[in-house]
Amino acid sequence: MNQMDNCQFFAEQSGRADKSTVNCQLNDCPLSRVLISGGGTGGHIFPALSIANAIKRRNPDVEILFVGALGRMEMERVPAAGYKIEGLPVAGFDRKRLWRNFGVLIKLWKSLRKARKIVREFKPDIAIGVGGYASGPVLKQAQKNGIPTLLQEQNSYPGVTNKLLAKKAKAICVAYDGLERFFPAESIVKTGNPVRTDLEGCKLTPAEAKKELGFDPEKKLILVVGGSLGARTVNEAVAASLDTIAKEDVQLLWQTGRYGADMFQGKAKEYPNVKATTFITRMDLAYRAADLVVSRAGAGTISELQNLGKAVILIPSPNVAEDHQRHNAEALSTRDAAVMILDVDAVAQLPSTLVELINDEDRRHRLSANIKDMALTSADEKIVDKVYEIVAK
């Protein structure tokens, strides 16, 4: 019985045939160095860190090196999580102002050179790409050097980088159906998106969570999350809804983000049932307390909402590559698992939609049940299963 047969045998005996690397957790499989690349936004960084943490849980001795883009948030978030990171001077192409891309090409050339050096010196057993500018040069160099690569695609409509790397990838871990349009079907593995595990650890009831956050436990609560930087249209739509919310005697917890925080938080102070803050530190409490969520349609946030089974109004950002947030939102709204309002319609439509949903308990329960049915849990473990399988082969 070879190594992989051994692992599969133990998996099947334990009743977890999907865990093809149960025995490999004991260091039997030859995994010692892992390169993880990507970033730019929390939607890329959180999955990358979740995968790294899952690898470390199986074998604390595995050496993990991240590669990100200089000046982007991963250069702070990754070291804060306890991992080493190298930065590349890479930048995205400016599709509107083409004359600016001469500098982008120079940065790309420098990034390819540095990526080549990183791959040659680190000698990873596998390179994992989670999307974002930096993953392109790194995984391209890994593939040139015969190092196996795995891609993690969070969205229902993939980014350019992952589409370019897909042909030579050993596996592409996805969260949505229908990606055979973009990737080789034989390489696709439906794992779901890794999410922050602390969100599911809240043991309080919704009423207790409301009280903990300073709200009336007997009244309904709407949670608005536009992201750490903020989403101007979402904030403007919420501001336009405040009078309507006040008439319904409904409470609102509003994460404004940094941009325009003073203006929107100042507006919120006029309403006793509204609490506005730049950033919500206890998202586990906020999600547990919420009767209805308003959010952008980033893949990571959607995966969290699916795992928690939250009724949600999605307002996809139009300012993202390939309009992927709209595709993400449509994947839910077409299954009655979320309500979608386009960004251009948000200010006009959000007030009435909020009133309709907050007063329709049956509809909220239906949305909650349908989005929960779409959840793919333990995504980080499933991805690491595939990592071990690839390296063992």
Side-chain angles (χ1 to χ4, degrees):
M1 183 180 288
N2 63 28
Q3 181 61 57
M4 277 310 298
D5 289 339
N6 223 0
C7 295
Q8 189 64 43
F9 172 78
F10 279 99
E12 291 171 351
Q13 292 302 305
S14 65
R16 298 172 67 191
D18 64 311
K19 294 287 183 185
S20 60
T21 57
V22 168
N23 202 38
C24 299
Q25 294 179 25
L26 303 178
N27 261 348
D28 291 333
C29 288
L31 185 66
S32 59
R33 288 180 299 279
V34 177
L35 196 60
I36 302 178
S37 186
T41 66
H44 291 131
I45 297 166
F46 289 136
L49 288 173
S50 294
I51 294 168
N53 292 338
I55 292 171
K56 281 289 190 180
R57 284 197 298 270
R58 297 199 186 188
N59 182 358
D61 296 327
V62 173
E63 187 177 355
I64 297 176
L65 176 65
F66 280 77
V67 180
L70 287 171
R72 304 305 294 265
M73 61 191 299
E74 60 264 26
M75 301 306 295
E76 295 181 4
R77 296 286 180 89
V78 170
Y83 294 101
K84 297 177 183 178
I85 187 168
E86 295 275 356
L88 302 181
V90 67
F93 281 92
D94 192 327
R95 299 180 186 182
K96 294 181 179 178
R97 294 165 290 191
L98 297 178
W99 65 89
R100 292 193 174 190
N101 289 322
F102 180 73
V104 172
L105 291 172
I106 293 175
K107 289 181 178 180
L108 178 59
W109 178 75
K110 290 180 178 178
S111 296
L112 286 167
R113 288 188 64 189
K114 188 169 183 180
R116 188 182 307 121
K117 184 174 183 286
I118 291 170
V119 170
R120 185 175 65 246
E121 293 181 353
F122 186 63
K123 297 182 175 66
D125 299 304
I126 190 168
I128 301 171
V130 296
Y133 305 141
S135 64
V138 175
L139 268 75
K140 191 71 174 176
Q141 292 302 322
Q143 290 175 345
K144 282 186 177 180
N145 283 271
I147 294 164
T149 58
L150 177 145
L151 305 179
Q152 200 268 319
E153 175 55 59
Q154 299 95 27
N155 295 294
S156 61
Y157 195 94
V160 173
T161 301
N162 277 353
K163 283 192 281 189
L164 292 173
L165 294 167
K167 187 176 181 180
K168 293 185 178 180
K170 295 295 182 183
I172 305 161
C173 297
V174 304
Y176 293 92
D177 294 320
L179 288 174
E180 296 83 0
R181 293 176 295 159
F182 311 103
F183 300 139
E186 66 275 10
S187 302
I188 294 175
V189 184
K190 192 175 180 183
T191 59
N193 287 324
V195 299
R196 294 173 286 181
T197 55
D198 61 304
L199 296 179
E200 298 176 281
C202 184
K203 304 301 181 185
L204 300 181
T205 65
E208 290 170 339
K210 287 175 185 176
K211 191 174 181 180
E212 187 76 16
L213 291 167
F215 289 98
D216 186 335
E218 302 300 322
K219 293 181 180 180
K220 293 175 185 136
L221 176 67
I222 298 169
L223 169 65
V224 177
V225 284
S228 58
L229 296 178
R232 186 170 186 85
T233 305
V234 173
N235 283 337
E236 289 174 346
V238 173
S241 305
L242 291 176
D243 286 339
T244 303
I245 291 171
K247 290 175 185 176
E248 297 297 321
D249 198 23
V250 173
Q251 304 172 115
L252 174 67
L253 177 56
W254 181 8
Q255 179 179 284
T256 63
R258 292 201 296 269
Y259 296 148
D262 291 342
M263 177 177 64
F264 293 116
Q265 290 175 26
K267 181 74 173 172
K269 289 178 181 177
E270 301 173 18
Y271 299 85
N273 281 359
V274 177
K275 293 181 186 294
T277 181
T278 304
F279 186 74
I280 299 172
T281 55
R282 289 294 306 273
M283 281 303 300
D284 58 332
L285 284 178
Y287 275 135
R288 181 56 60 92
D291 296 283
L292 178 64
V293 179
V294 179
S295 174
R296 283 301 201 191
T301 299
I302 285 179
S303 293
E304 292 172 355
L305 293 164
Q306 288 172 333
N307 284 5
L308 297 170
K310 304 305 295 187
V312 62
I313 298 171
L314 295 172
I315 305 175
S317 171
N319 305 311
V320 293
E322 312 291 343
D323 200 19
H324 66 255
Q325 285 204 9
R326 181 176 62 82
H327 293 285
N328 293 346
E330 285 176 342
L332 274 67
S333 63
T334 55
R335 301 184 188 186
D336 197 26
V339 172
M340 182 180 75
I341 299 176
L342 294 179
D343 190 85
V344 69
D345 300 322
V347 173
Q349 293 185 8
L350 184 63
S352 59
T353 306
L354 282 173
V355 171
E356 178 186 336
L357 279 178
I358 206 66
N359 289 322
D360 190 341
E361 190 170 353
D362 289 342
R363 178 81 193 282
R364 282 187 284 110
H365 285 171
R366 187 164 69 252
L367 290 170
S368 176
N370 290 344
I371 197 172
K372 183 74 172 175
D373 284 344
M374 296 180 70
L376 296 169
T377 58
S378 302
D380 54 350
E381 296 291 338
K382 293 171 186 173
I383 292 168
V384 177
D385 285 344
K386 199 65 186 177
V387 167
Y388 273 95
E389 179 186 325
I390 290 168
V391 173
K393 285 180 180 179

